Every structure is written in structure tokens, then in C-alpha cells.
């Protein structure tokens, strides 16, 4: 080996030694990063310690969640409105424009219905009456009328807008215009009656329903329901079963003949067969199939679905029944009254009487069998034709 080669080798050995010594004294890049993390954790621990020392200082007040109350609203003759928070055991709000037993001038009753003159002691049809009520888009909408359609709306069931009048003097299809019922679904209110079929998104502005046949069917529609994407309407006077998926465009089903007694819930519609008063017909919204349901020993008088406890209630003869699926029914017992509503653990029912003291008698029950009469409102008890119940509103809106 030459001298130059030896010199070069010695130089390389010394250089490697210097590099090794330097690495032993300095952290690697990974070690440097770890040290930075440890330092950060130490700093965080110090911050946490500081927070612990400040726990005794009061925190700012946090807004509490809004509590909700059940609201039930009944509407009826003479523009009656009755509101309750306990299943109509007590009344929170009550009003009526035409009161039985009082006389009204012809000028006040200038829009008399062609089906008969309004009698103060026994109100039948009147321009201010309501036949249906629904809740949707954070408001109640009550509807009815006579020789026109009468609409009022409310956010809380207690403060109501002035009357909105539709179809007055501009009827484009046959019959005295009046609304028989209303329902809400898919962000739409839909209403039908005698000579009237309309829809609205806000309860204030209304438009005509479109019919697949191009014209409104004959007859009067008196009951409507919405369930799981389907609207259904039934009527009298030859009105065929009507259905819709959006509330704006409707068609009819002439193969199914059902009565006006029906209800909806749990994804099904329950109808009374028109040819057999004790027989149920079911429409399943998921399978879109019609099936024959339970047959009772007596004629079916009423069907009601409670949203609060997801149960159907039915009255056949003088016996009340319950069902959690619409197919299998449990006998509740012999009862003097049908179940028309349920709210806050209270069943309630309205029975109407006519004559000089025409009114609706409110009855309440804890079991749906044994009933007691709620306190009468003075000087009158309104005649209630339609109810919406189990609506929950924030207390701030009440």
C-alpha cells in the first residue's frame, strides 16, 4: 500500500469517529420529535392543573331544553273551538261565534246553507262551523263552512287567525261548497267536502286538487287520513274512495267499497266494509295490498288510533276493543261510550245532544270503560264535530 492510500484510510477512520461521537451527543430526528411531544403533554398537564384550580368559579348558565305539553283541540258547530292539555278534563281555551239559545239576525247569517236554515236552538249547518282539524308545519288548521269554505289557523290552539273564506260565490263545480275534513302529510294540508277539494302548504294559500280523471268525483267527502306516504278520503252520496301520495294529485279506487268510519296508523288503514258493517278491510301501505281484517259480532261504530300509545281503539255494539297491530283485537269490556281520543293517560269521548240545550257532553275515563262527565262550560257547551289530539308543543309556544 502506498503512503497516499494509508493517509486516506487514516483520514476516513478519523472522520467516522467524529461523526459517531456527534450522533451520541445529539438526538435523532425521531428522538427530537418525541421530546417535543413530551414537552407538549407536560404543558397540557400544567394547563389541566390550572383548570382544576379554577373549578370553583361558576360556569355561565346553559339554556335548558324546551319542555313539551300535549295539546288537544276540538272544533265544531257555530265556529266552536275547545282546547285542553289533559284530554278535555279541563279546558284551557274555549270560543264560539254562534251560541245555541241565542238569536241572530238574518244579516249575521246571510250565508245560510241551502240544506236548511240555521236554528239558534239546534245548530245544524252554519257558515262558521268546522268539520275537520289537523296539525302540521307547527300549526293547527280548522276547516268547514257552509255555502263557502271556512278556515282558521293557530300556532298554539288558543290564539286563532281571523276566518279565511274560500269558494264563496265562485263555485266551479257542483254542490254547495263546504269542507268535510282535513289531514296533513308530506308537508301538505289536503281537504275535501261537498263541492270542494283543495290543498295548501301553509294553511293560508289554497289551490285546487288535480284529479287523474280531469274532474272532481261526485258525492261528498267526509273523512280523510294520512299514513306512511298515503292520503285516503272516503265519502257519501256515491263518492268513490280517493287516494293520493302527495296530497295535490288524486285518483279514485272504484274496486274497494268502504264506509266513512275508518282510521290509520302503524302503516295501515282500517276501513269498515260497506257491505258488512261488522267487517274490517285493511290497506297495507308497505305492501300496497288490501286484505280482509277481523270480523266482529256487532256493527262497528267507531275506530280511533292513538299516536301517544300506538294503539287502535274500536267500538262494535256496546263493547270497546283495542289492538296494537290492527289485526288482533283484545276485548276491553262493555262501555257506554266509544273512545274518541287519548291524551296524557286520559281517554275521552263526546256525545252530542240537540234541542234547546244543544251541546256536546265531555266524558273522561282512565280505562276506556268507566266514564265520568267532565265539568260543563257555562253558559254553553259547544257541539264538537272533530278532534285532533296528542299534539306536543314547546311550552314557550303555549
Amino acid at each position: 500500500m502506498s503512503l497516499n492510500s494509508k493517509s486516506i484510510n487514516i483520514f476516513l477512520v478519523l472522520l467516522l469517529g467524529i461523526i459517531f461521537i456527534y450522533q451520541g451527543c445529539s438526538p435523532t430526528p425521531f428522538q427530537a420529535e418525541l421530546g417535543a411531544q413530551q414537552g407538549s403533554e407536560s404543558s397540557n398537564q400544567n394547563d389541566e392543573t390550572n383548570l382544576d384550580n379554577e373549578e370553583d368559579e361558576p360556569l355561565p348558565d346553559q339554556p335548558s331544553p324546551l319542555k313539551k305539553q300535549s295539546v288537544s283541540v276540538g272544533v265544531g258547530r257555530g265556529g266552536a273551538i275547545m282546547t285542553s292539555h289533559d284530554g278535555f278534563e279541563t279546558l284551557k281555551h274555549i270560543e264560539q261565534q254562534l251560541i245555541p239559545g241565542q238569536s241572530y239576525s238574518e244579516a249575521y247569517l246571510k250565508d245560510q246553507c241551502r240544506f236548511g236554515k240555521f236554528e239558534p236552538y239546534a245548530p245544524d249547518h252554519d257558515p262558521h262551523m268546522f268539520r275537520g282539524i289537523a296539525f302540521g308545519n307547527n300549526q293547527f288548521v280548522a276547516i268547514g263552512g257552509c255555502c263557502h269554505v271556512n278556515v282558521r289557523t293557530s300556532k298554539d290552539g288558543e290564539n286563532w287567525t281571523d276566518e279565511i273564506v274560500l269558494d264563496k260565490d265562485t263555485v266551479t263545480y257542483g254542490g254547495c261548497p263546504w269542507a268535510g275534513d282535513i289531514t296533513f302529510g308530506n308537508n301538505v294540508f289536503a281537504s275535501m267536502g261537498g263541492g270542494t277539494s283543495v290543498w295548501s302548504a301553509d294553511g293560508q294559500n289554497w289551490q285546487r286538487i288535480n284529479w287523474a280523471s280531469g274532474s272532481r268525483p261526485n258525492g261528498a267527502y267526509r273523512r280523510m287520513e294520512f299514513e306512511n306516504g298515503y292520503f285516503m278520503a272516503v265519502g257519501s252520496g256515491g263518492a268513490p274512495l280517493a287516494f293520493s301520495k302527495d296530497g295535490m294529485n288524486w285518483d279514485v279506487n272504484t274496486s274497494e267499497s268502504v264506509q266513512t268510519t275508518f282510521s290509520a296508523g302503524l302503516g295501515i288503514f282500517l276501513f269498515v266494509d260497506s257491505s258488512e258493517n261488522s267487517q274490517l278491510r285493511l290497506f297495507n301501505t308497505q305492501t300496497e295490498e288490501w286484505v280482509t281484517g277481523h270480523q266482529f259480532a256487532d256493527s262497528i261504530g267507531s275506530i280511533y288510533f292513538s299516536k301517544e300509545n300506538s294503539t287502535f281503539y274500536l267500538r262494535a255494539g256496546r263493547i270497546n276493543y283495542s289492538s296494537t297491530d290492527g289485526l288482533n283485537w283484545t276485548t276491553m269490556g262493555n262501555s257506554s261510550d266509544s273512545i274518541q281520543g287519548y291524551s296524557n293517560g286520559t281517554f275521552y269521548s263526546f256525545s252530542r245532544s240537540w234541542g234547546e240545550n244543544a251541546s256536546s257532553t265531555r266524558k273522561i275515563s282512565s280505562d276506556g270503560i268507566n266514564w265520568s262527565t267532565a265539568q260543563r262550560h257555562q253558559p254553553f257547551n259547544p257541539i264538537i264535530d272533530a278532534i285532533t289530539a296528542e299534539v306536543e308543543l314547546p311550552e314557550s309556544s303555549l
Side-chain angles (χ1 to χ4, degrees), residues 279-321:
Q279 180 73 62
L280 285 177
R281 290 285 291 164
L282 281 72
F283 176 75
N284 189 316
T285 61
Q286 295 180 343
T287 63
E288 298 185 330
E289 294 178 340
W290 288 86
V291 297
T292 299
H294 188 84
Q295 183 164 16
F296 296 86
D298 298 292
S299 296
I300 300 170
S302 65
I303 310 173
Y304 164 73
F305 178 73
S306 169
K307 296 179 182 178
E308 189 169 318
N309 60 8
S310 299
T311 302
F312 283 103
Y313 295 98
L314 179 148
R315 180 174 173 81
R318 295 183 60 82
I319 299 176
N320 285 347
Y321 299 84

Side-chain angles (χ1 to χ4, degrees), residues 18-133:
I18 293 171
I19 293 173
F20 177 79
I21 292 171
Y22 177 80
Q23 286 181 336
C25 297
S26 302
T28 64
F30 173 78
Q31 289 174 330
E33 181 179 351
L34 179 62
Q37 291 179 352
Q38 290 175 342
S40 175
E41 290 177 357
S42 176
S43 175
N44 289 340
Q45 288 176 354
N46 291 336
D47 290 343
E48 290 175 0
T49 301
N50 292 336
L51 288 176
D52 290 340
N53 292 335
E54 295 174 358
E55 281 185 351
D56 292 337
E57 295 184 9
L59 295 174
D61 293 336
Q62 300 297 318
S64 58
L66 289 175
K67 296 181 179 179
K68 293 185 176 182
Q69 287 194 26
S70 293
V71 180
S72 299
V73 180
V75 296
R77 310 298 169 96
I81 299 174
M82 181 184 289
T83 307
S84 173
H85 293 172
D86 58 9
F88 294 103
E89 183 173 359
T90 57
L91 302 181
K92 180 72 174 178
H93 172 78
I94 187 169
E95 64 174 280
Q96 183 162 331
Q97 295 194 50
L98 303 181
I99 300 174
Q102 296 189 11
S103 297
Y104 297 92
S105 66
E106 289 294 319
Y108 192 76
L109 298 174
K110 61 182 179 180
D111 294 318
Q112 295 179 16
C113 184
R114 73 178 191 177
F115 296 113
K117 182 178 178 180
F118 178 85
E119 299 291 344
Y121 63 89
D124 185 11
H125 299 84
D126 70 78
H128 306 287
M129 72 177 296
F130 297 113
R131 297 183 185 87
I133 182 169

